[in-house]
Amino acid sequence: MNEYDVVVVGGGAAGLSAALVLTRARRRVAVIDAGRPRNAPAAHMHGYLSRDGMPPADFLAAGRAEVVGYGGHMITGTVRGITPTVPAGDTGFRVRLADGGLLLARRVVVATGLRDELPDIPGLADRWGRDVLHCPYCHGYEVRDRPLGVLGGSPETVGHALLIRQWSDDVAFFSHAYELTADERQRLTARGVRIVEGAVTRLIIDGDRLAGIELDRASVVAPHALFVRPRLVPADGLLTALNAVVVDARTGRTDVPGVWAAGNAVDPRAQVITAAGAGSAAAIDLNADLVDEDVRAALPFSAAQEREVAAILASVTLAHQE
């Protein structure tokens, strides 16, 4: 019961989408997921056609139900390691779970996502996904026309502020530990973004809302929401351990035969809808690869293969006689 055509590691949008396509293709599929989705702090997800505003937990629950409805298996846990099966050249894999379990798979999809590394500012992590936000395409409309802040820290944060200005006329760029260039100051000013000097020391929380941002200059500014660009850290340890590198961005096929990757593990910028599409594309390419293998296995031996087998049998017989 632990043998599968495909084991999908990661039960987010990419992994579930891949599993859905593969189960509908009548493949035996297991999805292994630890139950810690990246977007869990967010109350709603946006930008997904027909699912706009849906709570992330509801989205994942619906996806799991669909996969199970087509015969897929959902396994709660984490993967400790993936190793190719023996003999060498076989495209099968042993998938070992942290609890000691073992699954055998002909193919593997790695869809392990990523994690957000946030600046170490008191109060910031507690409000993540609520009024401390990252993606304006995901949350900008919900805070439109409100006073908004953008936390500085790199040249990318300047571009973030210029973008977020699209959703509000009142945007403040908190320079924090970042030294703006003259050109960056000019661009922010031209776009109508206010520059607030000084390092941010903490976020002030009143009840269950962001009430202010305290600076080291003893001043307090009170935006409705603060946009932050976290450090995006792909959870690609399994791919690294396999020495797998994506060689086809369209399908997620890696240079390790039998391994595909999809979602934020390989594309940190992918939104939920993008990750789901990548999972679907990987599944279609993977299933075609399985079909090719199934056909090869069903073909009779070629004349060359028959001669090779005959030679091996003859050598074994000769060795036995000697």
Side-chain angles (χ1 to χ4, degrees):
M1 292 297 293
N2 67 339
E3 296 183 5
Y4 294 91
D5 291 314
V6 186
V7 166
V8 179
V9 187
L16 290 175
S17 181
L20 180 62
V21 171
L22 290 164
T23 53
R24 284 178 52 81
R26 308 186 72 181
R27 296 296 182 182
R28 181 170 166 81
V29 179
V31 179
I32 304 168
D33 185 62
R36 296 189 294 269
R38 177 193 177 201
N39 60 358
H44 305 93
M45 66 178 202
H46 295 281
Y48 198 124
L49 189 63
S50 83
R51 296 294 182 268
D52 189 76
M54 190 176 191
D58 292 353
F59 173 77
L60 294 178
R64 288 191 291 267
E66 289 173 356
V67 170
V68 171
Y70 286 107
H73 293 178
M74 297 297 305
I75 299 173
T76 301
T78 57
V79 174
R80 185 175 64 188
I82 301 173
T83 55
T85 56
V86 177
D90 189 354
T91 54
F93 299 90
R94 289 185 174 88
V95 181
R96 297 190 178 276
L97 306 183
D99 64 4
L102 174 66
L103 306 180
L104 303 178
R106 296 171 65 189
R107 302 291 187 273
V108 171
V109 177
V110 177
T112 43
L114 58 77
R115 60 184 174 85
D116 298 300
E117 270 192 7
L118 300 174
D120 187 16
I121 297 174
L124 191 146
D126 295 337
R127 305 303 302 173
W128 182 240
R130 303 169 74 185
D131 38 31
V132 174
L133 309 169
H134 165 46
C135 174
Y137 293 105
C138 302
H139 306 291
Y141 190 82
E142 283 62 48
V143 295
R144 67 193 183 281
D145 299 328
R146 305 289 187 88
L148 304 177
V150 179
L151 182 68
S154 67
E156 289 77 18
T157 60
V158 175
H160 212 45
L162 296 173
L163 175 63
I164 288 164
R165 173 64 177 78
Q166 187 68 28
W167 282 267
S168 174
D169 293 336
D170 187 353
V171 177
F173 179 83
F174 294 87
S175 61
H176 191 44
Y178 183 66
E179 189 68 33
L180 288 164
T181 67
D183 178 67
E184 288 170 335
R185 287 181 178 275
Q186 187 176 36
R187 295 180 69 205
L188 287 169
T189 301
R191 181 70 164 151
V193 176
R194 187 170 75 261
I195 299 171
V196 180
E197 307 286 359
V200 174
T201 56
R202 70 183 179 105
L203 270 57
I204 301 171
I205 310 302
D206 183 10
D208 191 31
R209 67 179 184 87
L210 174 64
I213 298 174
E214 185 176 276
L215 306 175
D216 59 356
R217 300 182 180 185
S219 60
V220 175
V221 183
H224 178 76
L226 178 67
F227 280 85
V228 176
R229 282 184 65 94
R231 180 170 174 261
L232 306 180
V233 183
D236 57 358
L238 294 175
L239 292 172
T240 302
L242 286 164
N243 294 317
V245 177
V246 173
V247 294
D248 188 337
R250 182 178 59 86
T251 65
R253 187 184 289 244
T254 76
D255 58 354
V256 175
V259 177
W260 276 254
N264 285 143
V266 292
D267 182 7
R269 294 175 61 89
Q271 293 184 306
V272 178
I273 192 169
T274 318
S280 176
I284 291 171
D285 189 64
L286 185 158
N287 188 59
D289 190 58
L290 283 174
V291 168
D292 286 344
E293 183 175 271
D294 293 339
V295 171
R296 289 195 302 272
L299 286 172
F301 277 172
S302 66
Q305 289 172 319
E306 290 178 350
R307 288 194 297 271
E308 183 179 351
V309 171
I312 294 173
L313 291 174
S315 64
V316 170
T317 302
L318 179 62
H320 180 71
Q321 293 173 345
E322 292 176 351

